[in-house]
Amino acid sequence: MKANIHNTPSIFVIMGVTGDLAAKKIIPSLWHLSLHGLLPDRLAVIGFARRTLSDAEFENLVRDAVMKQGGIKVVEEDFSRFFKLFSYHSGTFEDERAFQSLASRIDEVGSTWGVCANKLFYLATPPSSYESIFKNLAAAKLNLPCDDDLGWSRLLVEKPFGTNLTTAKELQTLLTKYFKEEQIYRIDHYLFKEIIQGIENFRFSNNLFENTWDNTTIERIDIRLLESIGVESRGNFYDAVGALRDVGQNHLLAMLSAIAMEYPLGMETSTIHKNRTAVLEALAPWTDKTLREKTFRAEQADYKNIAGVAENSQTETYFALKTELVHSRWEGIPIYMEAGKRMAEARKEIVLTLKHPPMCLLCQAGPHEPNRIIFRLEPNDEIIIHFWTKKPGFERIVEERVFSFFLYEKETKVQYVEEYSKILHSAMMGDQVRFISSSEVEASWKFIDPIIDGWNQGVVPLVSYESGTTPAPKFFEIVDEEKKSGDQIGIIGLGKMGGNIARRLHSKKWQVVGFNEVSDVTKKIESEGILGAYSMQELVSKLSKSRTVWLMVPHQVVDVVLDELTPLLEKGDTVIDGGNSLYKESIRRSKKLAVMGINFLDIGVSGGPGGARDGACLMVGGKRELYEKYESLFKDISVDGGYGYIGESGAGHFVKMIHNGIEYGMMQAIGEGFEVMKKSPFSLDLHSVAEIYNHGSVITSRLVGWLADAYKKFSDELNAEACCSGKVSHSGEGQWTVDAAHEFGVPVKIIEGALEFRKQSQENPSYTGQVVSALRNQFGGHDTSNK
């Protein structure tokens, strides 16, 4: 429960007060809070450690910590007042009597104040001491509050929270044996950094970015913690931990959860913890293949010369990962994370690279890169937006501008002091929002453990880098820069679908060779920069070996095309059928081509000509290893997240066939519903009805949107001469779906009824037929007029 800090009489116990953590972070942070009037009016600070110290020696220890880390000149009067809060308690963490004595001292202070004081225990100790401390705090009943409202007891615990998932769970079991979750404050100081806190307000307090804070706008995410400093005197500790455990399992993942979490309704602590956990749980699981291809580890060349580092050390001082979130908002966005010591420069930041706009004014007139949003912690605290605008003057060219804000002048230049001041203040106030929950700890280890296990098994070699340089893992290259001249594809069939797939791939830097039976179509697409071929033999000759040929022809002629094409191909080449073929035929063709050593994939393509140009939905059938080989092709053709492996040969066309059957039923229901409305006594404006349906109703969909477009273009009468005949044709997929359903013993009354309607509409045209025709015209560009 949060309270007024001044009315919170508290006793703050620093376990391990003589150690570096207390000297560098805790005592200077208490000093910082004191100078700003942010400590309770009644506060006692008890330092607990093994050493025997006189009052004068303890005062010198506190004074040294303030002088070295406080960040400002120390006024003796201020320090004298500050040190009056402190006292020292000697004892070992294994000695229960020392804790009983500590409890007596705490009771004595509370009695002097006339209240049961709150208790805050900060564990500035190695994790090896935790069990003894927890056990003895409980033995002295220091883990218990006075009652439900008074004298809370809280525990501040530093990372690491275990060394893997197993030890993290063991630590959690140990904690919960003596403390409730609301008493436990797990520290990751990055969540208390001003810039990381600012991310939430940048997103959730502004309508400028949050509505497009997803894979529709963001191209990639880079999170880096690069330090120019080295391990220094921490050789013993660091060699047992390594960069991944030191900052990857905690700081980097905390930064990712801050950038990607969903809006926490009500800003409740439990909701924020749940939303941060959801991000970590959505991280793509690792396989041996992704570990080899998307993780990298390296060791500083002179690292083994550091005191405390083993001669045969295999500890990474730099690592890099490429991953993504399996989540509808973030799916398809690559996430790059890296951290290391002795880098070329200190660079701590999150960079969001936005997608290049599909229509970009003046982008061809000069240099142009995507927009970026940068949340930077070092070398400066700032948020930076890179954008483009016209260069002043007579020239029609753009130039890059930078909008930098949230420039943050630290009150103290000493590292950690401001973050730890916020940590202590939040703990005293009972605010757990920026502390780590147990579920976050477990989710982060579930992601990190497979990497460590794989590295220990030698899946990824440990390479070396020179101090003052930053490694460049291959998978960190920009996607467009990875495109090579070898990324070729031949496309046979340059109609509405095939032509637009060719155009999309050309815009994605693929070398496309196109062939169409009608040479005028080939000539037209050549004028757009795509390489044309005027025979299949010419198409094959223009492709490098290990050829890829995409067929986008009617299903009736696929075998005719293959009979002419396959004699021109070689073993190892690949044929992709992206048209609407019967799945049984795809199974047969796959087997036939396999005998020749030619690979085959069957792909159902949905989205119409517009989807083929701007991003389609792909359902891929064939061998999984072949799917994985061509995944970059599918990603470049599809809308974000709009492709997937369906199963063995035939599965892609089977699922697309069912998709089209479902489409028949959906279009039929829309057509029938709008005919009922047209014949009602209300003189309805059907265009307005379609628009209303498509804004938040249960049946909001692309189909209803296309119908609204048709009404706007052709009026409520759906002009049959211009567009929308009441006679609806069918192209075969609906019949195939019904036949398959009968074969499998599945009743499909809706789809079968829709198919029968289309057949009968040739003799009995109707307004329902006009609506279905209008939909076919809008999404597929079909000629559905009475002409």
Side-chain angles (χ1 to χ4, degrees), residues 532-546:
Y534 292 88
S535 68
M536 289 193 203
Q537 187 171 3
E538 183 184 359
L539 178 135
V540 171
S541 70
K542 288 183 175 180
L543 295 173
S544 301
K545 289 192 176 183
S546 295

Side-chain angles (χ1 to χ4, degrees), residues 473-505:
K474 184 178 179 181
F475 57 79
F476 264 35
E477 297 173 4
I478 301 295
V479 174
D480 282 348
E481 292 177 353
E482 291 176 349
K483 292 295 181 192
K484 303 176 180 65
S485 59
D487 286 329
Q488 293 179 313
I489 190 168
I491 297 181
I492 297 176
L494 301 174
K496 288 177 289 190
M497 293 292 293
N500 276 352
I501 286 176
R503 292 180 181 95
R504 180 168 177 83
L505 288 175

Side-chain angles (χ1 to χ4, degrees), residues 264-283:
L265 293 174
M267 291 299 293
E268 294 294 328
T269 298
S270 59
T271 304
I272 293 174
H273 286 173
K274 179 181 177 182
N275 290 3
R276 290 203 304 249
T277 301
V279 172
L280 303 178
E281 290 178 340
L283 283 161

Side-chain angles (χ1 to χ4, degrees), residues 749-762:
K749 294 181 180 180
I750 301 299
I751 297 173
E752 194 165 12
L755 174 64
E756 188 61 31
F757 170 85
R758 292 193 181 196
K759 292 177 179 178
Q760 294 184 8
S761 71
Q762 306 306 311

Side-chain angles (χ1 to χ4, degrees), residues 21-185:
L21 179 59
K24 293 179 179 179
K25 300 176 183 179
I26 304 171
I27 294 172
S29 298
L30 286 169
W31 169 251
H32 183 78
L33 290 172
S34 175
L35 294 179
H36 287 76
L38 292 173
L39 291 176
D41 292 337
R42 287 176 288 183
L43 174 69
V45 181
I46 301 175
F48 188 114
R50 181 188 302 271
R51 288 163 53 186
T52 301
L53 295 178
S54 66
D55 290 344
E57 288 172 324
F58 185 51
E59 181 177 356
N60 287 336
L61 182 149
V62 174
R63 184 186 297 276
D64 286 346
V66 170
M67 296 286 286
K68 292 178 181 178
Q69 307 292 331
I72 62 172
K73 183 178 180 180
V74 177
V75 177
E76 184 59 33
E77 183 180 348
D78 292 335
F79 176 78
S80 178
R81 184 166 52 249
F82 175 65
F83 185 70
K84 286 181 180 179
L85 304 175
F86 285 77
S87 62
Y88 183 71
H89 189 78
S90 178
T92 67
F93 301 137
E94 297 76 25
D95 184 2
E96 182 181 330
R97 290 174 300 175
F99 283 79
Q100 296 289 355
S101 175
L102 175 64
S104 298
R105 177 176 290 196
I106 289 172
D107 288 341
E108 182 181 341
V109 173
S111 298
T112 302
W113 292 340
V115 297
C116 177
N118 303 311
K119 302 174 289 292
L120 185 64
F121 299 96
Y122 197 119
L123 272 61
T125 66
S128 57
S129 299
Y130 286 177
E131 184 169 7
S132 297
I133 294 173
F134 298 159
K135 177 182 177 182
N136 287 326
L137 284 174
K141 297 186 179 180
L142 291 172
N143 61 330
L144 302 177
C146 298
D147 57 41
D148 291 339
D149 300 314
L150 294 174
W152 45 250
S153 183
R154 294 171 186 157
L155 193 71
L156 279 162
V157 185
E158 284 274 355
K159 75 172 185 71
F161 311 116
T163 57
N164 53 29
L165 180 59
T166 299
T167 55
K169 287 182 175 180
E170 290 172 355
L171 174 60
Q172 178 62 13
T173 300
L174 184 62
L175 277 166
T176 54
K177 182 177 180 180
Y178 301 108
F179 296 89
K180 297 178 180 179
E181 184 64 23
E182 59 264 29
Q183 292 178 279
I184 304 167
Y185 290 68

